[in-house]
Amino acid sequence: MRRLGAQASGPDSAASPALGPLGLLTLLLGAALPMIDFFIVNVALPTIERDLHTGPALLEMVAAGYGVAYAVLLVLGGRLGDMIGRRRLFLIGTALFALTSLACGLAPNAWTLVGARVAQGAASALMLPQVLATIQSTTTGARRGRALGLYGATGGIAAVAGQVLGGWLVAADIAGTGWRSIFLVNVPVAAAAMVLALRTVPETRSAKPARIDVTGTVLLGATLLALLVPLMEGRAVGWPLWCWLLLAAAPFVAAGFWLAERRAERTGRDPLVPPSLLGNHGMRSGLLVALPFFTGFGGFMFVMAVGLQQGLRLGPVSAGTALAPMAVAFFTASLLAPRLVVRHGRRVVTTGLAVQGVGLLIVVAATLASWPHMGPLDFAPGMAVLGFGQGLAMSTVFRIVLSEVPADRAGVGSGVMVTTQQSSLALGVATLGTLFLSLASSVGMRDALVTAILVQVAGGAAAVVLSLRLPRQVR
């Protein structure tokens, strides 16, 4: 078996065509859609609650169902792309994403919307791993580094843009669609992505596709469900016994998954997540940084959406506009990061994480000084600093994690990375969101928001320390 620390290979085969600029843009468009949809629903939740006459438990399932299905199936999606062709599965996933988005937009009641959101998350899990895997298998050297940096930037920009766009769409109430427009807008965009993919994205697959690891898939899914479902739903349903039983079972199921994967690799079978993949220093250290970083990012986006709308009583447009400086600064930093990382290596990540912490503290200071008489401009300085730091860190982390993954394992490597990202985002919503909502009812919205952000600052400090273990230079 090939040693994972070796130089990353190029395309899967010599016949594989290179990925051109328009093909890369098409893939990034496809990647942005599921990332936007993870966050876009945040600003629409109050409107959905009023329109569908639903309670908090069901409302949280609208957000949680998508994230859980997404995280559970991502690694499997990467493996399937290795087997049947990455462009083919990208097209299938995009088509299903369009259909499930249409189902969300036409949902007559809350339970139908929950079911459609779960299906939409599953479709996203088929789409997204193919983006990173195709980049890995059709690019080399500096082109791969730039493409991975742009992918990382797309994730952050899509998250912020999702909430900005969501606010504008809900307020615009196009043809009386209200919140439904945040899902219906996906249909033409997904259709355009499919047409472009047929013309510009080369087909790739693994030269030696691995078989489906049924045991590993079931155990990984059970681990994520046991952890994420009670954390995301526990507060809304009053923390019944089943929540605590699932949380208690989660570490044991995770241990069972890891033992099963080690046994599968040792006996020559095809584990869903090969333990040797995590033996690669760049991937292992990058994932350790990604966990607290994305957990904090997901939690911050959720608590800000709720705090701005329910705490400050800002409308969806104003709430989205407050995040606009963050998106602009993120985009600017992500354009600078690929050049900076060539010269400064891992210090770009460390610096970005430190700058993010400064931005968070500026937001805290503004909140303490001006609450409840705050508008979008009061948040602008902190959001700009915060976004710039995140733009430096996020795009570089993706490049580090995937820089040494061999092309024939591009699917599983990208699946592991994106699963870590999405699970951490969902974990952030569950943990920081639960902390924030619990404190809001006792100490007030302002202090709850400040506390949640300070917890994120602490997590960011841990990420700074962990970033010192990253490879010094990044290919």
Side-chain angles (χ1 to χ4, degrees):
M1 185 174 62
R2 176 175 176 166
R3 185 174 173 268
L4 285 172
Q7 174 73 27
S9 63
D12 289 317
S13 68
S16 297
L19 181 68
L22 186 56
L24 176 60
L25 180 63
T26 301
L27 289 173
L28 295 179
L29 174 63
L33 281 174
M35 295 180 190
I36 286 173
D37 246 60
F38 187 93
F39 291 97
I40 198 171
V41 75
N42 286 346
V43 293
L45 288 176
T47 311
I48 293 173
E49 183 176 19
R50 290 193 302 269
D51 190 27
L52 297 184
H53 309 292
T54 184
L58 208 57
L59 198 65
E60 288 198 18
M61 289 179 68
V62 172
Y66 178 88
V68 171
Y70 195 3
V72 165
L73 297 174
L74 273 165
V75 177
L76 179 61
R79 177 62 57 84
L80 290 173
D82 286 349
M83 294 177 63
I84 69 173
R86 293 156 188 151
R87 185 181 71 169
R88 179 181 299 177
L89 200 60
F90 177 82
L91 291 169
I92 292 171
T94 305
L96 291 174
F97 184 82
L99 290 173
T100 52
S101 295
L102 181 63
C104 289
L106 300 178
N109 54 59
W111 277 112
T112 304
L113 179 59
V114 169
R117 284 284 284 172
V118 171
Q120 191 185 35
S124 297
L126 297 181
M127 273 173 81
L128 193 60
Q130 317 319 320
V131 176
L132 276 174
T134 300
I135 290 172
Q136 283 287 94
S137 59
T138 58
T139 60
T140 56
R143 290 184 64 249
R144 176 184 290 179
R146 286 192 296 270
L148 291 174
L150 288 171
Y151 175 88
T154 299
I157 294 168
V160 182
Q163 298 200 176
V164 175
L165 177 63
W168 291 345
L169 286 173
V170 171
D173 194 22
I174 302 169
T177 54
W179 60 267
R180 298 177 187 276
S181 61
I182 68 173
F183 300 115
L184 296 176
V185 73
N186 291 333
V187 179
V189 178
M194 291 177 65
V195 172
L196 287 170
L198 285 169
R199 291 176 170 270
T200 64
V201 177
E203 179 64 281
T204 63
R205 57 172 55 86
S206 176
K208 296 180 180 179
R211 293 166 293 181
I212 298 297
D213 176 12
V214 177
T215 301
T217 300
V218 171
L219 287 174
L220 177 61
T223 300
L224 293 174
L225 287 170
L227 176 65
L228 294 176
V229 169
L231 287 176
M232 299 185 88
E233 288 296 302
R235 186 196 65 84
V237 297
W239 294 104
L241 179 61
W242 64 264
C243 286
W244 298 109
L245 292 176
L246 281 178
L247 285 174
F252 296 100
V253 181
F257 166 72
W258 186 248
L259 290 173
E261 298 301 273
R262 288 182 60 185
R263 183 166 55 251
E265 189 167 47
R266 190 169 56 247
T267 57
R269 290 179 285 137
D270 298 315
L272 185 70
V273 179
S276 58
L277 191 67
L278 301 183
N280 176 272
H281 175 64
M283 170 161 266
R284 184 177 63 253
S285 58
L287 291 175
L288 287 174
V289 174
L291 180 61
F293 176 75
F294 286 115
T295 299
F297 184 81
F300 178 80
M301 298 300 290
F302 177 79
V303 301
M304 285 303 297
V306 177
L308 291 171
Q309 291 189 81
Q310 295 186 6
L312 294 175
R313 304 298 177 187
L314 297 181
V317 172
S318 295
T321 303
L323 298 173
M326 182 178 171
V328 174
F330 192 107
F331 180 70
T332 302
S334 65
L335 293 179
L336 297 174
R339 287 185 296 235
L340 292 174
V341 74
V342 172
R343 296 180 58 186
H344 303 291
R346 72 183 182 195
R347 284 179 290 180
V348 176
V349 178
T350 304
T351 302
L353 292 169
V355 172
Q356 173 194 243
V358 172
L360 289 169
L361 291 175
I362 293 173
V363 172
V364 167
T367 302
L368 290 173
S370 303
W371 191 281
H373 308 292
M374 299 184 73
L377 289 178
D378 296 295
F379 289 100
M383 289 294 180
V385 174
L386 168 64
F388 193 85
Q390 289 176 334
L392 289 178
M394 190 180 297
S395 56
T396 309
V397 164
F398 273 95
R399 183 169 175 176
I400 289 172
V401 171
L402 297 172
S403 61
E404 296 183 348
V405 176
D408 60 356
R409 286 189 169 183
V412 67
S414 62
V416 170
M417 179 60 210
V418 181
T419 297
T420 301
Q421 179 192 28
Q422 296 303 320
S423 299
S424 299
L425 291 172
L427 187 63
V429 173
T431 53
L432 284 180
T434 298
L435 173 66
F436 169 72
L437 293 172
S438 299
L439 289 175
S441 60
S442 57
V443 301
M445 194 70 73
R446 187 200 71 170
D447 291 346
L449 181 62
V450 167
T451 302
I453 294 176
L454 289 176
V455 171
Q456 184 189 355
V457 171
V464 169
V465 175
L466 291 168
S467 71
L468 300 176
R469 299 172 58 87
L470 294 170
R472 291 182 180 274
Q473 295 300 319
V474 183
R475 288 194 294 237

